[in-house]
């Protein structure tokens, strides 16, 4: 039972707390509305400042955008993992029945240390709510808790997915503009070389 219940219940809340904290550190959860409003600007408006940059500056902008996109994709993947773990917690609670009474399980003392235990109650579980705190909840309350977490994380996944798509579009526009400027610079250099030769 522990493989489905103990590990999932004990790890899911703290894991996702860390994920959401890391995600908030890049300003996507706390200031989501502001970011969405900024990202919703027209492509022409967002391209206008980039058109005034030289090739070297555009390369730096592209590098920064690639780094931002990589971080956002990583955080998105972490949120998806967290959502899966919360859903697994719900599934584990549904699998916990009276026939599990007396069954052996492993109880986590830390992330790598476990002790042997016995299932002595199936009406209540201890739920890790983060930062090492555990709360005793009935099975229905624990399900409600985890389903709420699933819903919240899925909402964040949808928002971040939209932002990732917009970031990718911006990166593609930046790369295209950089390519155009490099072609123009090469043509200008060739024209200047031709003029000197004459």
């Amino acid at each position: 039972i522990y493989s489905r219940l103990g590990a999932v219940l004990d790890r899911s809340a703290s894991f996702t707390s860390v994920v959401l904290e890391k995600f908030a550190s890049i300003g996507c959860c706390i200031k989501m509305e502001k970011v969405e409003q900024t990202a919703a600007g027209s492509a022409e408006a967002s391209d206008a400042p980039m058109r005034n940059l030289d090739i070297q500056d555009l390369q730096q902008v592209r590098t920064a955008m690639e780094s931002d996109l990589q971080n956002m994709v990583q955080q998105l993947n972490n949120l998806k993992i967290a959502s899966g773990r919360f859903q697994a917690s719900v599934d584990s609670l549904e699998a916990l029945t009276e026939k599990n009474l007396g069954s052996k399980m492993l109880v986590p003392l830390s992330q790598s240390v476990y002790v042997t235990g016995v299932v002595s109650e199936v009406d209540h579980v201890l739920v890790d709510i983060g930062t090492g705190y555990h709360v005793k909840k009935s099975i229905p309350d624990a399900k409600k808790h985890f389903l709420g977490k699933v819903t919240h994380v899925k909402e964040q996944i949808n928002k971040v997915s939209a932002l990732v798509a917009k970031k990718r579009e911006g990166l593609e526009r930046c790369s295209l503009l950089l390519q155009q400027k490099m072609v123009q610079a090469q043509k200008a250099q060739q024209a200047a070389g031709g003029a000197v030769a004459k």
Side-chain angles (χ1 to χ4, degrees):
I1 296 172
Y2 179 74
S3 61
R4 294 195 63 217
L5 177 65
V8 173
L9 292 182
D10 191 58
R11 303 284 177 251
S12 294
S14 58
F15 174 83
T16 302
S17 296
V18 172
V19 169
L20 292 177
E21 285 173 12
K22 288 182 179 177
F23 192 66
S25 70
I26 62 171
C28 291
C29 283
I30 296 176
K31 298 179 180 178
M32 185 67 70
E33 293 181 4
K34 184 176 180 181
V35 174
E36 286 175 334
Q37 290 170 1
T38 301
S42 66
E44 292 79 8
S46 61
D47 287 347
M50 287 195 293
R51 288 196 186 100
N52 299 325
L53 298 176
D54 59 26
I55 291 176
Q56 185 176 359
D57 290 336
L58 269 176
Q59 288 173 333
Q60 292 177 352
V61 169
R62 185 178 65 176
T63 300
M65 292 178 76
E66 287 172 342
S67 178
D68 289 345
L69 179 60
Q70 185 177 2
N71 288 334
M72 291 176 72
V73 169
Q74 181 61 49
Q75 298 306 325
L76 180 61
N77 291 337
N78 289 343
L79 286 172
K80 288 179 179 179
I81 292 171
S83 177
R85 290 191 178 190
F86 280 135
Q87 185 59 54
S89 297
V90 175
D91 297 340
S92 297
L93 287 169
E94 291 174 351
L96 186 63
T97 62
E98 290 187 4
K99 68 180 181 181
N100 300 125
L101 282 171
S103 299
K104 289 184 178 180
M105 63 181 291
L106 291 175
V107 181
L109 298 180
S110 69
Q111 290 186 350
S112 58
V113 178
Y114 302 85
V115 294
T116 303
V118 176
V119 177
S120 60
E121 185 178 5
V122 293
D123 296 324
H124 295 84
V125 291
L126 286 177
V127 178
D128 185 346
I129 59 172
T131 62
Y133 289 96
H134 294 75
V135 175
K136 187 175 183 179
K137 290 181 178 284
S138 65
I139 298 298
D141 285 346
K143 283 183 183 178
K144 183 178 179 181
H145 169 79
F146 286 117
L147 287 172
K149 292 290 187 182
V150 169
T151 300
H152 174 70
V153 174
K154 283 185 176 179
E155 288 173 356
Q156 296 303 315
I157 287 173
N158 292 336
K159 290 179 179 179
V160 178
S161 295
L163 290 176
V164 167
K166 290 175 182 176
K167 179 68 75 174
R168 280 199 177 109
E169 290 174 5
L171 179 58
E172 288 173 3
R173 290 196 302 271
C174 180
S175 297
L176 180 60
L177 185 58
L178 177 59
Q179 186 177 6
Q180 291 171 348
K181 281 185 174 282
M182 290 179 73
V183 169
Q184 290 171 359
Q186 186 177 12
K187 288 181 178 178
Q189 188 176 10
Q190 289 173 350
V196 170
K198 290 179 182 180

